Amino acid sequence: MKATVAICTYNRAYDLSESIHSAIRQHVEYEVEIIVIDNNSTDHTAQLVQEIQASEGVNNVKYILEKKPGLSAARNRAIREARGEYILFLDDDAIASPLWIQHIVGVFESDSSIGCVGGKIEPLWESQKPEWIPSENLSLYTILDYADHVVEMPNPSIPFGANVAFRTRLFQDIAPFREDLGRVGKNLLSNEESELIARIRVQHKVFYTPFGSVQHKVSKERTTKNWFLRRVFWQGVSDAVRKKDKGVVRTIKHAIRLGQGVIRALLCIYSPKRFTRQLAQICYRNGLIIGILRYNSKE
C-alpha cells in the first residue's frame, strides 16, 4: 500500500462528500486507501460514507468510528489504522486537486530523510473575504502559499493540517499528535500539528510543494468578527498549552501587555482596521493567560 488518505470528520456530512470524492478521483498508478475517521458524529456521516461506497463501486474507502472526542484523537486513530507507506491528511471541508497524492508522494520519494510534506492550501470563500482581516492573521483561515517551487521549510515554518502528510513508519519511534491539543467539540484549540512537526524536525526534513494543492472552504460563519476573535483567543490558549507555559511572573507579564493593548485599542477606536488589530492582540493575550491558569492547573 503506497498511500493512506485520512479524512477526520465531525458533523460535517454536507462537506465530507466532496472531500471523499476528490480523494477517490486521484490520478495514481499505485494502491491507495481512503479512511474516514468519524469522531462520533450525530449527523448522517456514516450513511453518507456507505452511500459513496455503494454508488462509486469502490473497495478502498473505509469507515471507522472513533468515539474519543477530539481532532487529535481522530488523527491518532487514523495513524494506527493506516496501511500506507505515507499518510496524507485531508480536511473534511477541503477538496484535493487531481494530482494531489502523486505530487505529495513524489516529494517523499525524492529523499528518504523527508518525514513530513505539506502542500498549498487555497481558500474557497463562501462569502466575500472581509477586508478587515489583518494580513498577519490570514493563516488562521488555513491559507498557505509558501513558495512557487518544491522547497524545504526551515524552522519555524510548518505545513497546515488541511494538507499535511507524514512518512507512516516515523510513528514507530515518534509519539503521534498530543491529545491535549487540537479541537474538541466547539473549542478552537490548535497547535497539535506544530508540536508534532517540531519533534519530527529533530531528525527529519519538512518539505512544501505548491503542486500537491487543495482548496479549503471558508464558511460564512468564519468571516464574522466574532469567530475571528474567538479563533485568536484560542490561538493564545493553544500557544500556552503547547509551551506548557506557567508561573506567576509570566502571567503578570501577559496581564500587563493585555492592559497596554486595551489602552492602544481605545486610542484607535475610530480606525476600524487598527482597532480590529488591537482587539486581536487583546484576545490573544487573554487566551495566553487562560491557557496558563486553566490548562496547566490540571497538572
Side-chain angles (χ1 to χ4, degrees):
M1 181 72 68
K2 180 66 71 173
T4 296
V5 175
I7 305 174
C8 301
T9 188
Y10 175 69
N11 283 347
R12 201 177 267 161
Y14 52 88
D15 284 323
L16 180 62
S17 177
E18 284 188 280
S19 181
I20 296 174
H21 279 105
S22 74
I24 291 173
R25 294 166 185 168
Q26 290 291 299
H27 299 315
V28 291
E29 296 180 354
Y30 38 74
E31 192 175 1
V32 172
E33 65 174 354
I34 302 164
I35 55 177
V36 179
I37 309 295
D38 180 358
N39 201 198
N40 216 18
S41 298
T42 57
D43 64 3
H44 63 287
T45 291
Q47 178 184 348
L48 171 71
V49 178
Q50 291 172 357
E51 290 172 353
I52 290 175
Q53 290 169 327
S55 63
E56 292 287 341
V58 294
N59 57 12
N60 66 332
V61 178
K62 184 178 179 182
Y63 171 87
I64 299 168
L65 177 63
E66 173 54 57
K67 292 187 176 182
K68 184 176 181 180
L71 179 56
S72 290
R75 284 174 167 169
N76 288 343
R77 178 66 182 274
I79 290 169
R80 293 194 299 271
E81 297 284 346
R83 295 182 296 143
E85 188 176 348
Y86 312 105
I87 180 167
L88 290 71
F89 285 97
L90 179 68
D91 269 10
D92 57 0
D93 57 353
I95 303 169
S97 57
L99 296 175
W100 172 60
I101 295 176
Q102 180 176 313
H103 284 299
I104 296 291
V105 169
V107 176
F108 276 118
E109 302 205 326
S110 69
D111 185 343
S112 61
S113 67
I114 296 175
C116 173
V117 176
K120 183 176 183 179
I121 305 173
E122 301 173 291
L124 277 178
W125 299 94
E126 186 177 79
S127 57
Q128 188 173 359
K129 173 188 168 237
E131 294 299 321
W132 51 259
I133 300 175
S135 57
E136 64 268 25
N137 295 120
L138 276 174
S139 62
L140 298 178
Y141 290 86
T142 321
I143 300 169
L144 183 62
D145 187 3
Y146 184 76
D148 60 2
H149 58 284
V150 177
V151 63
E152 183 175 1
M153 301 181 80
N155 187 43
S157 299
I158 61 167
F160 295 162
N163 183 10
V164 68
F166 303 96
R167 198 178 293 272
T168 311
R169 63 175 172 80
L170 297 186
F171 297 108
Q172 296 173 6
D173 304 309
I174 296 175
F177 292 97
R178 267 177 53 181
E179 295 187 9
D180 61 332
L181 293 170
R183 298 188 183 186
V184 180
K186 293 184 178 181
N187 80 34
L188 299 178
L189 197 66
S190 59
N191 278 6
E192 71 279 14
E193 297 117 352
S194 59
E195 192 279 334
L196 172 59
I197 292 170
R199 289 188 281 115
I200 288 175
R201 199 174 240 139
V202 173
Q203 295 183 324
H204 305 275
K205 297 176 183 178
V206 177
F207 263 69
Y208 168 87
T209 173
F211 309 113
S213 64
V214 306
Q215 293 180 307
H216 185 255
K217 299 175 185 176
V218 183
S219 66
K220 188 175 181 179
E221 172 202 3
R222 297 185 186 185
T223 58
T224 65
K225 287 189 178 181
N226 179 59
W227 185 91
F228 169 71
L229 294 175
R230 282 186 63 237
R231 178 65 181 84
V232 173
F233 166 82
W234 279 103
Q235 187 61 48
V237 176
S238 303
D239 287 348
V241 174
R242 177 177 61 84
K243 297 174 184 177
K244 297 184 178 179
D245 208 354
K246 61 181 67 178
V248 175
V249 174
R250 186 63 62 87
T251 305
I252 292 173
K253 286 182 178 179
H254 288 319
I256 291 172
R257 291 179 182 176
L258 176 62
Q260 292 171 338
V262 172
I263 294 171
R264 285 194 293 267
L266 292 174
L267 292 175
C268 61
I269 195 169
Y270 295 109
S271 175
K273 284 190 176 181
R274 291 177 59 198
F275 184 64
T276 299
R277 183 172 276 108
Q278 291 303 321
L279 279 181
Q281 288 297 317
I282 291 169
C283 290
Y284 178 73
R285 290 290 171 189
N286 190 29
L288 285 171
I289 294 170
I290 296 300
I292 293 171
L293 297 178
R294 181 184 299 176
Y295 286 86
N296 289 293
S297 67
K298 296 179 180 180
E299 294 184 356

